[in-house]
Amino acid sequence: MDKRFWGILIAVIIVLGGIYFLTGNKSAGSNSSTTSPSNHIEGLGKDKVTLVEYGDYECPYCETYYPVVKQVAAEYNQQIFFQFRNLPLTQIHVNAFAAARATEAASLQGKYWQMHDALYQDQAEWVNSNAPESFFVTLAQQLGLNVTKFKTDFSGAQVDNTINADISAFDHTNQTEATPSFFLDGKFVQPQPTVASFQQIINAAIAQKTGTKS
C-alpha cells in the first residue's frame, strides 16, 4: 500500500473520531440539568433583608418551627422577604421527597403556599403513610386544584428537577445537611423555635442594612 492510501485512511479516522467526540459531548451536555432552584417568596422586603429556610415536610423539627416561622413572616411581611426551599432528607424521611413534589406541583397552579401550609398542619396524617400520594391528591382537591394536572405534574420531571436544584443550592452553602436550616442574607443562622429568637436576629439584620437601631 502506498503512502497516499495510508494518508487517506488516517484522515478518515480523524474525521470519524471528531464526529464521535462532538456527538458524544452533545449527548453528555443534554443530560446536564439547567433547572434553577425554586423561588417561593413571601413578603415585600422593603428593608432588603431575606430569610431563607431549607426544610423537609416530614421533619418533626420543621413542623415545630413552622407556626413560629409563619408568625415571623407575617410580622415582618413589609420589611423582609421569606423564602422556603426544599431539602428532603430522604435517608431518614421516606415520604419527604413526595411531599416536596406535592408543593411544587401545586405551585404550577399558583397554590404553593397553601399546599406548604397544609402539609405541615396535617403532617401527622401522612408522615407514616405507605401511599402518601392519595393524601396529597385529597389536599389538591380541597385547595381547588385541577387534580388531573396535579397528578401529571406530581409525577413529572419538572418538579423533581426543581427539588434537586434546591438540594444542589444547599450543597453549595457547605453546611451540614440538616433541617430546618436558616440563612439570613446568605449567612447561616440558628434561631431557636421562638418568635423572640427570630426577632433578635432579624432586627439586627434590618438595623445593619438600614442604619437604624433595632
Side-chain angles (χ1 to χ4, degrees):
M1 297 182 183
D2 59 19
K3 292 182 179 179
R4 185 173 63 178
F5 171 82
W6 285 112
I8 294 172
L9 181 61
I10 291 171
V12 169
I13 292 172
I14 291 173
V15 169
L16 290 176
I19 293 172
Y20 177 82
F21 175 79
L22 290 173
T23 57
N25 278 353
K26 182 178 180 181
S27 176
S30 65
N31 291 330
S32 62
S33 175
T34 58
T35 304
S36 299
S38 64
N39 193 37
H40 307 300
I41 296 175
E42 289 185 312
L44 300 179
K46 70 179 183 65
D47 289 332
K48 310 301 182 185
V49 170
T50 301
L51 175 66
V52 179
E53 176 186 358
Y54 281 87
D56 174 324
Y57 290 104
E58 190 175 340
C59 170
Y61 301 107
C62 293
E63 192 273 338
T64 298
Y65 272 85
Y66 164 72
V68 174
V69 173
K70 189 167 181 65
Q71 183 177 338
V72 169
E75 179 179 333
Y76 288 90
N77 180 265
Q78 297 290 318
Q79 296 161 282
I80 74 169
F81 296 115
F82 171 64
Q83 181 175 14
F84 187 94
R85 281 185 171 171
N86 302 289
L87 188 61
L89 305 180
T90 54
Q91 303 90 338
I92 56 176
H93 298 146
V94 296
N95 290 334
F97 202 98
R101 281 179 179 152
T103 58
E104 294 302 332
S107 76
L108 296 177
Q109 297 189 53
K111 293 289 182 73
Y112 172 81
W113 289 107
Q114 292 88 333
M115 182 65 78
H116 168 93
D117 292 349
L119 289 179
Y120 277 132
Q121 290 165 1
D122 299 329
Q123 188 189 73
E125 296 188 34
W126 60 267
V127 70
N128 294 316
S129 174
N130 292 324
E133 294 88 348
S134 61
F135 181 79
F136 303 151
V137 169
T138 298
L139 284 180
Q141 291 173 326
Q142 293 173 353
L143 294 175
L145 300 180
N146 179 320
V147 173
T148 300
K149 175 174 170 53
F150 175 82
K151 289 180 179 179
T152 300
D153 291 335
F154 179 90
S155 302
Q158 182 176 352
V159 298
D160 284 358
N161 290 341
T162 298
I163 296 165
N164 287 326
D166 281 1
I167 296 170
S168 179
F170 181 84
D171 289 342
H172 283 86
T173 69
N174 296 318
Q175 292 296 322
T176 301
E177 196 172 75
T179 55
S181 288
F182 294 96
F183 296 83
L184 192 62
D185 284 345
K187 179 182 179 182
F188 179 65
V189 293
Q190 295 179 287
Q192 296 299 307
T194 66
V195 172
S197 182
F198 278 90
Q199 287 173 333
Q200 182 178 8
I201 62 172
I202 291 173
N203 288 342
I206 291 174
Q208 182 177 21
K209 190 67 65 77
T210 62
T212 60
K213 292 183 178 181
S214 60

